Amino acid sequence: MQRIKIEHLNFSYRGFKEVLTDINLEISEGETIGIIGENGAGKSTLLKLIVGLLSDYSGKIEIDKVEVKKSTLSDIRKKIGYVFQDSDSQLFMSNVYDDIAFAPQNYGYSEEETERCVEKAMKTVKIEDLKNRMIYQLSGGQKKLVSLAAVLSIEPEIILLDEPSAALDPKNRRNLINILNSIKGIKVIASHDLDMILDTCDKTILISKGKIIKEGNTENILSDKNLLEENGLELPLSFKWK
């Protein structure tokens, strides 16, 4: 079942040079998609457009055949969770529990149901010990995991993640990979961490200068040294060591 469909998408910030040009993309049920490209390629912009954080684009973005626009955002965002690249842009409550509980409360869950959702999300991300911690006391890696738990609290059908492994130490990075591989539903991951993409994504999309250069099997794309170097990237360490 097709869940995300993008046709002839073009976007620029306030009339400046286009950031994305003629993007055409279809994502089906159960797929985990990696989006790769050098800085400024348009990866983060694409995620923000899918979840409706940016508007004034041309072309079409549909979630379950519903076009992403101002009048449909409320319903669409019940299906999509978005993990920001900068956790400080996402976390705004004073402590961990309240931040994770915010979305269920906002959607009208009962106190009992909210607590169940928060406990489940914290257990999934393995941060039960942070439950009563103040946000300002957390490390960058801990904030990233709390941000993911906050998204998982409403059990979204689609999860968008922007540089999710940034600021994570090796242990928490491996924890994140295991979490992502255990979560059902669509996941779209934009990242410079090509080894993480290799470990989590079935399919990968390479973007350069706002255009899709190639899409297909993750291993095939990430093992293509010439393709990656032509687009400002390097082989993942996994392939360098082979």
Side-chain angles (χ1 to χ4, degrees):
M1 176 183 172
Q2 183 189 92
R3 302 295 304 276
I4 301 174
K5 185 174 183 179
I6 300 173
E7 294 180 312
H8 304 296
L9 174 66
N10 300 280
F11 178 80
S12 61
Y13 287 99
R14 298 181 181 177
F16 290 98
K17 182 180 178 181
E18 281 193 337
V19 179
L20 295 171
T21 303
D22 197 29
I23 300 294
N24 294 278
L25 179 62
E26 295 183 4
I27 301 175
S28 299
E29 183 67 48
E31 288 190 308
T32 301
I33 307 295
I35 301 179
I36 64 172
E38 60 185 337
N39 284 335
K43 305 184 299 296
S44 297
T45 299
L46 180 57
L47 294 188
K48 289 176 181 177
L49 284 163
I50 292 173
V51 77
L53 291 176
L54 297 173
S55 55
D56 297 327
Y57 62 86
S58 65
K60 184 178 287 188
I61 305 173
E62 291 183 343
I63 309 297
D64 291 340
K65 299 183 179 180
V66 176
E67 188 169 359
V68 176
K69 53 187 178 180
K70 189 174 182 179
S71 61
T72 62
L73 286 183
S74 178
D75 289 334
I76 284 174
R77 287 177 179 167
K78 291 178 181 178
K79 300 180 180 183
I80 299 180
Y82 177 63
V83 179
F84 285 69
Q85 180 174 347
D86 177 11
S87 299
D88 288 329
S89 297
Q90 183 167 350
L91 303 174
F92 55 89
M93 302 297 283
S94 60
N95 65 60
V96 169
Y97 183 92
D98 288 346
D99 239 311
I100 300 173
F102 178 81
Q105 290 171 340
N106 192 49
Y107 285 126
Y109 289 26
S110 68
E111 185 175 340
E112 182 179 321
E113 183 68 4
T114 294
E115 184 172 358
R116 184 195 69 80
C117 290
V118 172
E119 296 289 346
K120 182 179 179 180
M122 288 193 297
K123 184 176 180 180
T124 298
V125 184
K126 301 179 181 178
I127 56 168
E128 299 101 312
D129 59 320
L130 300 180
K131 179 178 179 178
N132 298 313
R133 291 279 294 276
M134 305 300 286
I135 295 297
Y136 74 84
Q137 297 176 320
L138 304 180
S139 68
Q142 289 171 328
K143 287 180 181 179
K144 184 71 70 172
L145 294 174
V146 173
S147 296
L148 178 56
V151 164
L152 294 177
S153 67
I154 57 168
E155 301 181 337
E157 300 166 23
I158 300 168
I159 302 177
L160 312 179
L161 304 105
D162 193 356
E163 298 291 353
S165 64
L168 294 183
D169 59 30
K171 180 181 178 180
N172 278 321
R173 178 182 173 278
R174 174 50 55 184
N175 178 34
L176 173 68
I177 289 171
N178 292 336
I179 291 165
L180 293 178
N181 287 336
S182 71
I183 297 171
K184 296 180 180 180
I186 289 175
K187 289 153 284 181
V188 184
I189 305 169
S191 182
H192 286 102
D193 184 349
L194 300 190
D195 285 278
M196 187 198 69
I197 295 292
L198 186 62
D199 285 342
T200 56
C201 299
D202 316 302
K203 179 179 175 182
T204 291
I205 297 163
L206 171 60
I207 298 180
S208 182
K209 298 177 181 178
K211 298 180 180 180
I212 293 179
I213 303 301
K214 190 167 184 177
E215 59 181 295
N217 175 272
T218 293
E219 187 167 341
N220 291 343
I221 289 179
L222 295 187
S223 62
D224 191 332
K225 184 173 184 289
N226 291 335
L227 174 67
L228 295 177
E229 290 183 350
E230 287 168 2
N231 293 281
L233 301 172
E234 296 184 350
L235 282 173
L237 292 175
S238 303
F239 289 124
K240 284 184 177 181
W241 291 338
K242 287 185 177 181

